[in-house]
Amino acid sequence: MNKLLRRNMNTLLKLFFIIFLAGAAKANSIDEHRIKRADGTNISYYQIKQSPSKPSETLLLILQGSDCNSVLKIESIFTDYKNIWPEADLLLIEKYGIDSKLSYSLEDERADCPDQYIQNDNPEQRVSDIQDVLDAVRKDYKYQNYIILGGSEGAVIANLATARIDYIDATISFNGGGRKFIDDLIHSITSNHPVSEDPEMSIKEVKNFAAQILNSEEFDFEASQHSYNWWHQSLAIDQQEVLMSVDIPLLIIQGGRDLSVSPQMVDKMMLTLEDLGKDNIEYRKYKELDHGLKDINGRNMRKEVVKDINLWLKSKLKTSNKSQIPAN
C-alpha cells in the first residue's frame, strides 16, 4: 500500500471510529475509569452499561489480541463479540501504556506505538491488570455472572485470568494456539513461507531465538513491538497446564485454516485434556475458518460463531435473561 493510500485509509478509519463511538455512546453509557498500578501508572478501563438505571446481572470482559491499539477502537467488539451475551454490561481494559487517545492503525508495527506499551506489556501484566480492574468493579457492582472472551493473544490471557480468578463463571477463548507458543511460531512460518523456498532455515532461526530468550537473563530487546519479558513469558506458558487448573465451563474455538496458530497442536492439546478427564472444557473446531474467522471465500463468519457461543452460554449460565441476539 503506497503512502498516500495508507494516509487516506487511516483518515477514513479515524472518521469511522469517531462516528461509530459517538453512536455507541448514544446507545449505551460508556464510563471511563482509571485505577493505579503498584508502580504508579494508570490502568484505563471502560464499563459500557446496557441500562444506566438498571445494571445487568452479567458482566462480559472482552480481551483484544496482541495489536498496539486502544481496545475501545476494536470495531469487532461492538459489532459482533458483545453479542455473545447481548444483555451483559461490557468491560474493556486497555493494555499498559495505551489509552483511547491513541489513533487506530492497521499496521502490524506502527511508528507511534507507545514505548511504555512496548517495554511493559506482557501476559503477566495483563492478567494482573484484569484482576485489579475486576476487583475494583466488584466493589461497586454485584454481578451474578462474569464472562471472559478473548481471541488470539487475548485467548491465552483469558485462559490465564480464568485459572487465577476464582469468581469467573464462563470463559470463551478462540484461535489462541496449542500448548506451546513455539509450535505456533513454527506453524506460522511454515504456512506463510513462499512455496518456492525451504522454510527449514527460518524454523531453525526461530528455535534458536526461542532458546536464547528462554535461557538468558533479561536483556534490552524488542521484536514485533514486544520486549524480552513479553517474549520470555509467552514462550514459557504451558497452555495445557493452565487449562488443567480451570474448573469452570470453558469453550475453546479454533479455525481449521488458521495460519497464525497451529490447529493441529490445538487438536492434540484438546485430546490430551479429554483423556485427562477435563469434561468442563468443550472444544469446537471450525474447519473452514481462518484466524480472523473468515471462510475460504473470504466471508466473515463472526456472527455465526457468536450465535454458537450464545447458545453454549445459555446452557452454562444461571440467569433470568433470555439473551436474544439482535437481528442483523
Side-chain angles (χ1 to χ4, degrees):
M1 186 184 295
N2 64 46
K3 290 183 179 179
L4 179 59
L5 180 57
R6 184 184 299 124
R7 192 159 53 241
N8 289 339
M9 283 292 293
N10 285 337
T11 300
L12 288 171
L13 282 166
K14 289 175 186 177
L15 178 61
F16 167 80
F17 282 113
I18 289 170
I19 295 170
F20 179 82
L21 291 174
K26 290 178 182 177
N28 305 100
S29 172
I30 301 178
D31 296 329
E32 183 173 0
H33 305 273
R34 290 183 178 86
I35 57 173
K36 291 287 186 183
R37 296 187 181 90
D39 65 4
T41 59
N42 287 319
I43 309 171
S44 295
Y45 68 94
Y46 314 94
Q47 264 183 287
I48 303 173
K49 301 171 189 173
Q50 296 302 316
S51 170
S53 60
K54 184 182 178 183
S56 171
E57 62 187 36
T58 302
L59 184 69
L60 169 60
L61 168 61
I62 299 182
L63 302 171
Q64 72 194 98
S66 61
D67 57 318
C68 180
N69 278 302
S70 167
V71 68
L72 200 61
K73 297 176 182 176
I74 306 297
E75 176 212 1
S76 57
I77 290 175
F78 299 94
T79 57
D80 295 309
Y81 294 128
K82 72 180 182 67
N83 288 322
I84 69 164
W85 202 258
E87 294 80 9
D89 287 350
L90 196 59
L91 179 64
L92 307 174
I93 304 172
E94 297 283 20
K95 293 189 279 187
Y96 199 113
I98 291 178
D99 60 29
S100 59
K101 295 176 184 176
L102 183 66
S103 62
Y104 185 79
S105 175
L106 291 170
E107 299 296 321
D108 290 334
E109 295 191 32
R110 55 188 299 177
D112 61 344
C113 186
D115 187 62
Q116 270 201 328
Y117 163 80
I118 294 170
Q119 298 304 319
N120 296 285
D121 175 66
N122 56 67
E124 175 58 33
Q125 186 64 62
R126 289 192 73 180
V127 174
S128 177
D129 287 354
I130 289 166
Q131 188 160 23
D132 288 347
V133 168
L134 282 173
D135 286 348
V137 169
R138 290 179 80 220
K139 290 179 181 178
D140 298 319
Y141 300 90
K142 304 302 179 185
Y143 291 102
Q144 181 179 334
N145 296 296
Y146 292 83
I147 306 169
I148 301 181
L149 169 74
S152 194
E153 179 189 301
V156 179
I157 304 304
N159 294 337
L160 289 167
T162 302
R164 181 179 299 186
I165 301 169
D166 62 8
Y167 51 81
I168 305 303
D169 296 282
T171 294
I172 306 95
S173 59
F174 64 93
N175 293 343
R179 183 172 187 174
K180 289 288 187 177
F181 184 41
I182 183 63
D183 296 322
D184 296 319
L185 290 174
I186 292 171
H187 172 77
S188 180
I189 290 170
T190 304
S191 301
N192 294 287
H193 213 273
V195 176
S196 59
E197 298 179 15
D198 186 352
E200 287 305 314
M201 181 60 69
S202 297
I203 291 172
K204 183 178 179 180
E205 288 174 355
V206 80
K207 285 182 176 179
N208 290 339
F209 162 76
Q212 180 185 8
I213 292 290
L214 286 171
N215 297 312
S216 301
E217 294 295 324
E218 182 177 356
F219 59 94
D220 189 18
F221 170 81
E222 178 192 333
S224 299
Q225 298 196 315
H226 294 298
S227 69
Y228 166 92
N229 280 329
W230 186 94
W231 282 100
H232 187 275
Q233 291 177 29
S234 296
L235 287 163
I237 291 169
D238 184 333
Q239 281 214 90
Q240 182 174 299
E241 185 177 294
V242 172
L243 294 173
M244 278 297 297
S245 67
V246 173
D247 295 320
I248 65 158
L250 192 152
L251 177 62
I252 302 287
I253 289 172
Q254 180 58 53
R257 295 177 51 252
D258 197 325
L259 302 183
S260 297
V261 302
S262 171
Q264 294 75 27
M265 287 301 177
V266 179
D267 291 345
K268 182 178 179 181
M269 179 177 70
M270 298 313 298
L271 280 173
T272 300
L273 290 169
E274 183 180 349
D275 290 343
L276 292 171
K278 291 299 291 179
D279 56 4
N280 63 300
I281 303 177
E282 188 170 337
Y283 179 40
R284 296 188 184 179
K285 187 173 183 179
Y286 293 77
K287 294 182 180 179
E288 299 303 317
L289 301 190
D290 64 11
H291 195 67
L293 302 180
K294 292 182 179 179
D295 68 12
I296 197 166
N297 297 311
R299 292 178 299 181
N300 197 310
M301 304 299 289
R302 280 198 302 257
K303 285 181 170 56
E304 286 70 19
V305 174
V306 163
K307 288 178 183 177
D308 291 345
I309 296 171
N310 176 257
L311 289 173
W312 179 81
L313 281 170
K314 285 179 178 178
S315 71
K316 304 300 179 184
L317 293 184
K318 297 177 181 178
T319 174
S320 60
N321 283 340
K322 298 297 183 181
S323 185
Q324 297 298 319
I325 293 181
N328 292 340

